[in-house]
Amino acid sequence: MTQETILIFDFGSQYTQLIARRIREMNVYCEILPYFEILNLSSDKKNIKGIIFSGSPFSVRDAGSPAPPLEFILKKFPLLGICYGAQYIAHKFKGLVSPSKFREYGRANLNSIDSKNPLLKNLKSNSQVWMSHGDTIVSLPKNFKIIACTKDVKVAGFKIENENTYGIQFHPEVFHTTEGGKILQNFVVGICGCKQSWTPDSFVETTVKELKNKIGNDKVVLGLSGGVDSSVAAMLLHKAIGKNLFCIFVDNGLLRKNEFAKVLESYLNMGLNVKGVDAGKKFFKGLQKVSDPEQKRKIIGKIFIDVFDIESRKIKNVKWLAQGTIYPDVIESKSVKGPSATIKSHHNVGGLPEKMKLKIVEPLNTLFKDEVRKVGRALKIPDVILNRHPFPGPGLAIRIISDVTEEKVKIVQEVDSIFVEGLKKEKLYDSVWQAAAILLPVQSVGVMGDERTYQNVVALRAVSSTDGMTADWCHLPHNFLAKISNEIINKVKGVNRVVYDISSKPPATIEWE
């Protein structure tokens, strides 16, 4: 790392990524690391401007709770402990942390603020904060000073005297702490002295330079999907190594209607060296009579690897495989709790690097999804690609809740096209994170003209989200839904009923499979 950096050590809080997002909104680079990597910290890392400890589901009183050494940090880097982080600092120096008389969860107000303290500079009297903890700091060590209180929490904030170490028992990163952004800015910019120079343009400039140095004159192969991540990764590499980037765009027969031709044309117009491969028949053959979603994913992944491997071997002397991995994937792979339980296999290509014996380059692995789009705009990538809704790697196969056939794919393609084009026409597309049509394994009775029908049911799904980690169903206008439903039933042969999915994530997922 050469970029000035704030390190966030994760103790397992559900809000840790929010801390990172708030800091990056200030144009300051930050990284999330599991708390045990504190052992690898050294004070000679001049680019590290400050450190934040996150909250945690643990109690500092629990046996086995996170308890890293602090000698690598105190008096060497500015430190802000949030919730568990604050309690741990106090506990480590023999302060008293006890179970709260009642669980402190929800809104509270700072009725006492040390306005001379740099962390709380310019905060309004009675500022609203968000509490979420079962323990409370009851008393502080001698050289700790209280800097904020609420009606029920005597030590809402503290500072260790004669050093830049702070603790707060509330969460500044959440929306309900109304001046949380100001508190984080006071720490990151005011106390740590960050210059706020990490912008999309600076990221492009730095990354292109690093890619040139890393790759040199070697050849790189990249599998394009038509999505935002692989497209932005391709343009960064193209800017760095030009004709030495070889892109392969595989049509698995499971893309949206006319998508292969449209996206391929967009890529060629961007100046990319792209080869389109029509492999639909191979995928349909492999998916015959397969209904289990995990099996579908594995079959699609394996066939993709085989097709990609055959095509990439036609390019002589390739040394690197580029991937569009983004930061949430990296965080998940080395989280405090370890990789999470498999809800569904990730659609990225598993096993490909080992099979092909190539070195990996991942130019986006420090970015969140919205940051990828900002970098794409800095690279002048067309909006038609940048503003595309996320689309699953296995394509429409996982939007067919049964075995996959060409006939079923055509039905979903037509329904999806009517839905998505309708959103665009009514100027609703950009307010939706992801829209989908799902073919259900259900048939229902209907009446068309004077005839009884027994045909398929499709579900429409539209969600709003920032990064796909949580999502709420979109409250689309009833008139719009009625119009789309009517158009689908009238135009798509084999469908006589349309339903709308009003489930949020969690507890549901965005996709059905």
Side-chain angles (χ1 to χ4, degrees):
M1 297 181 295
T2 55
Q3 175 73 42
E4 62 175 19
T5 302
I6 297 292
L7 290 184
I8 302 165
F9 285 105
D10 181 23
F11 290 82
S13 170
Q14 62 179 320
Y15 299 134
T16 303
Q17 287 199 33
L18 268 183
I19 304 171
R21 297 184 72 81
R22 297 291 173 264
I23 292 171
R24 294 206 177 176
E25 285 165 5
M26 301 174 204
N27 294 330
V28 173
Y29 180 69
C30 63
E31 287 189 11
I32 298 172
L33 298 172
Y35 70 88
F36 44 80
E37 290 201 18
I38 287 172
L39 291 166
N40 300 325
L41 196 60
S42 121
S43 58
D44 63 357
K45 294 185 177 177
K46 294 177 182 176
N47 59 306
I48 298 172
K49 307 295 284 184
I51 289 170
I52 294 176
F53 285 177
S54 82
S56 175
F58 296 99
S59 164
V60 295
R61 298 172 296 101
D62 292 342
S65 61
L70 296 181
E71 59 265 26
F72 299 95
I73 295 174
L74 295 181
K75 296 186 179 178
K76 296 175 182 175
F77 304 98
L79 171 63
L80 173 62
I82 295 173
C83 198
Y84 178 94
Q87 292 166 2
Y88 177 66
I89 295 166
H91 176 71
K92 186 77 172 173
F93 289 96
K94 310 302 181 190
L96 181 60
V97 179
S98 300
S100 305
K101 291 179 183 177
F102 55 89
R103 180 165 170 77
E104 287 151 354
Y105 182 86
R107 293 173 179 84
N109 296 89
L110 299 178
N111 58 10
S112 173
I113 300 172
D114 179 358
S115 56
K116 293 180 182 178
N117 186 277
L119 184 69
L120 306 179
K121 184 181 176 183
N122 296 327
L123 249 65
K124 295 174 185 171
S125 176
N126 224 35
S127 187
Q128 179 181 287
V129 297
W130 181 262
M131 297 284 186
S132 179
H133 55 93
D135 286 347
T136 299
I137 301 171
V138 176
S139 63
L140 289 169
K142 286 183 181 177
N143 61 332
F144 283 51
K145 178 186 176 185
I146 295 174
I147 59 173
C149 311
T150 71
K151 182 169 71 72
D152 297 313
V153 180
K154 180 185 173 185
V155 186
F158 66 76
K159 179 186 185 295
I160 300 182
E161 293 179 349
N162 302 317
E163 62 180 270
N164 278 326
T165 300
Y166 303 81
I168 50 179
Q169 287 202 90
F170 55 88
H171 288 271
E173 68 272 26
V174 303
F175 173 78
H176 304 296
T177 298
T178 52
E179 295 186 284
K182 190 178 289 184
I183 294 168
L184 289 173
Q185 179 142 348
N186 284 342
F187 179 71
V188 170
V189 180
I191 295 166
C192 299
C194 291
K195 297 187 179 75
Q196 297 179 275
S197 58
W198 193 67
T199 63
D201 286 325
S202 72
F203 176 85
V204 170
E205 184 181 346
T206 303
T207 304
V208 167
K209 186 178 178 182
E210 288 173 354
L211 288 170
K212 283 179 179 178
N213 291 335
K214 186 175 188 175
I215 296 167
N217 292 319
D218 292 348
K219 291 180 181 178
V220 179
V221 65
L222 168 67
L224 284 171
S225 68
V228 176
D229 301 339
S230 68
S231 302
V232 175
M235 285 304 290
L236 276 169
L237 285 157
H238 177 67
K239 198 171 176 68
I241 63 172
K243 63 182 181 182
N244 280 342
L245 173 66
F246 295 82
C247 301
I248 298 169
F249 183 27
V250 177
D251 183 1
N252 57 14
L254 304 166
L255 302 175
R256 287 181 159 132
K257 184 179 179 181
N258 300 326
E259 182 173 30
F260 182 63
K262 286 178 183 175
V263 174
L264 192 56
E265 185 181 357
S266 297
Y267 283 144
L268 293 171
N269 289 339
M270 287 158 58
L272 291 175
N273 178 15
V274 187
K275 181 178 182 180
V277 181
D278 182 357
K281 284 186 168 56
K282 289 184 181 180
F283 286 88
F284 283 119
K285 186 178 179 182
L287 288 167
Q288 275 181 359
K289 298 181 180 178
V290 176
S291 297
D292 178 75
E294 275 301 293
Q295 202 178 344
K296 286 179 191 175
R297 279 182 158 82
K298 286 172 182 172
I299 290 166
I300 291 165
K302 184 182 181 307
I303 295 171
F304 178 86
I305 289 170
D306 292 341
V307 172
F308 190 86
D309 189 31
I310 290 166
E311 292 301 325
S312 62
R313 286 180 189 278
K314 294 175 184 176
I315 309 161
K316 292 181 180 178
N317 301 318
V318 173
K319 299 284 180 66
W320 297 85
L321 170 72
Q323 293 183 325
T325 309
I326 61 173
Y327 198 38
D329 302 327
V330 176
I331 296 168
E332 182 66 21
S333 68
K334 59 177 182 180
S335 73
V336 169
K337 303 165 190 173
S340 61
T342 300
I343 297 169
K344 59 186 179 184
S345 299
H346 198 275
H347 63 254
N348 280 350
V349 181
L352 189 58
E354 185 181 343
K355 182 181 176 85
M356 298 179 69
K357 294 181 169 52
L358 298 175
K359 292 182 281 187
I360 305 297
V361 58
E362 298 171 317
L364 306 178
N365 65 359
T366 61
L367 300 183
F368 288 102
K369 190 79 171 186
D370 54 324
E371 294 169 338
V372 174
R373 284 197 170 95
K374 289 174 184 174
V375 168
R377 289 189 183 95
L379 289 164
K380 296 182 170 50
I381 293 175
D383 284 346
V384 69
I385 286 180
L386 277 188
N387 294 338
R388 289 184 78 229
H389 290 174
F391 188 68
L396 299 178
I398 59 163
R399 292 181 179 174
I400 296 169
I401 317 299
S402 61
D403 63 315
V404 179
T405 65
E406 290 188 60
E407 182 187 4
K408 289 177 183 178
V409 169
K410 283 178 183 173
I411 289 173
V412 181
Q413 284 177 332
E414 292 299 330
V415 173
D416 174 87
S417 177
I418 290 169
F419 187 28
V420 169
E421 291 308 312
L423 287 167
K424 289 177 179 176
K425 188 177 179 182
E426 296 296 323
K427 300 195 178 343
L428 295 167
Y429 184 84
D430 290 340
S431 62
V432 173
W433 162 266
Q434 188 167 340
I438 298 97
L439 181 63
L440 304 184
V442 175
Q443 291 187 310
S444 71
V445 175
V447 178
M448 291 185 175
D450 293 325
E451 294 183 11
R452 177 185 183 276
T453 62
Y454 193 62
Q455 294 181 340
N456 296 296
V457 180
V458 293
L460 302 182
R461 177 87 159 129
V463 298
S464 58
S465 180
T466 302
D467 51 22
M469 303 188 79
T470 61
D472 193 16
W473 63 278
C474 288
H475 297 240
L476 296 176
H478 291 180
N479 288 345
F480 169 77
L481 290 172
K483 182 180 176 183
I484 292 298
S485 172
N486 190 55
E487 190 174 348
I488 289 167
I489 291 169
N490 284 341
K491 290 185 177 179
V492 183
K493 187 178 179 182
V495 175
N496 69 353
R497 191 177 298 268
V498 177
V499 297
Y500 187 57
D501 183 347
I502 58 169
S503 313
S504 295
K505 175 188 179 182
T509 53
I510 295 177
E511 297 289 347
W512 279 44
E513 290 190 341

